[in-house]
Amino acid sequence: AELPPRTIRVNTWPGFAAGAGWEMACPSEEGEQLAREALKSLGKDPVRVPDRIGMIGARVLASIINEGFLLMGEGAASSTDIDLALRLGTNYPQGPFEWAEQIGWGDVYSLLKRLSETEPRYQPAAAWEEKKL
């Protein structure tokens, strides 16, 4: 839906809010200026992104978490091993299942379901069903 000119959205999933940079989406230059001032007053570095479901960070992270579920569902590794592999192999601060626990399983799943309505690549892996969300 069209947002009023002074509307500002920020992505503050747990773990994201602690970072220095915050994604922001705003439909106007006026909104962007207000957002920049507000975020800078909080000590945050604003990054303007398109106003799309999940913005950028949450979409990427939800995809990584879903890939973890795909691997687990294939029997490739346990959730613990997948978390360890991401932390040690890619230097991620947390593995996909650790991120999902911190963010909230239901929030990640809901984002994937919503994104999959228009993009099949976001279809939640079958292993999500075991979480009984």
Side-chain angles (χ1 to χ4, degrees):
E2 217 33 55
L3 294 174
R6 296 176 69 121
T7 301
I8 302 162
R9 289 187 217 239
V10 293
N11 183 353
T12 57
W13 264 6
F16 285 35
W22 275 17
E23 292 179 339
M24 64 174 189
C26 32
S28 69
E29 294 299 319
E30 177 188 18
E32 180 178 1
Q33 187 58 36
L34 288 169
R36 286 191 181 286
E37 290 171 14
L39 292 176
K40 285 186 179 190
S41 75
L42 296 172
K44 300 299 176 182
D45 194 13
V47 179
R48 187 173 185 183
V49 298
D51 190 16
R52 295 203 169 85
I53 299 168
M55 296 188 190
I56 295 173
R59 286 175 79 139
V60 170
L61 187 53
S63 296
I64 291 168
I65 293 167
N66 199 43
E67 186 63 30
F69 272 97
L70 287 167
L71 285 166
M72 189 176 66
E74 293 169 1
S78 69
S79 61
T80 303
D81 290 340
I82 294 167
D83 281 342
L84 182 63
L86 262 293
R87 277 189 275 111
L88 298 178
T90 63
N91 203 27
Y92 279 21
Q94 298 181 90
F97 297 96
E98 294 164 328
W99 271 110
E101 180 71 30
Q102 181 180 2
I103 293 164
W105 300 99
D107 291 334
V108 177
Y109 182 80
S110 293
L111 176 58
L112 289 167
K113 285 299 279 183
R114 183 95 187 274
L115 290 167
S116 71
E117 291 171 5
T118 56
E119 292 285 338
R121 68 181 176 211
Y122 293 106
Q123 182 64 41
W128 277 97
E129 294 303 317
E130 295 172 20
K131 291 300 295 175
K132 306 285 187 227
L133 301 173

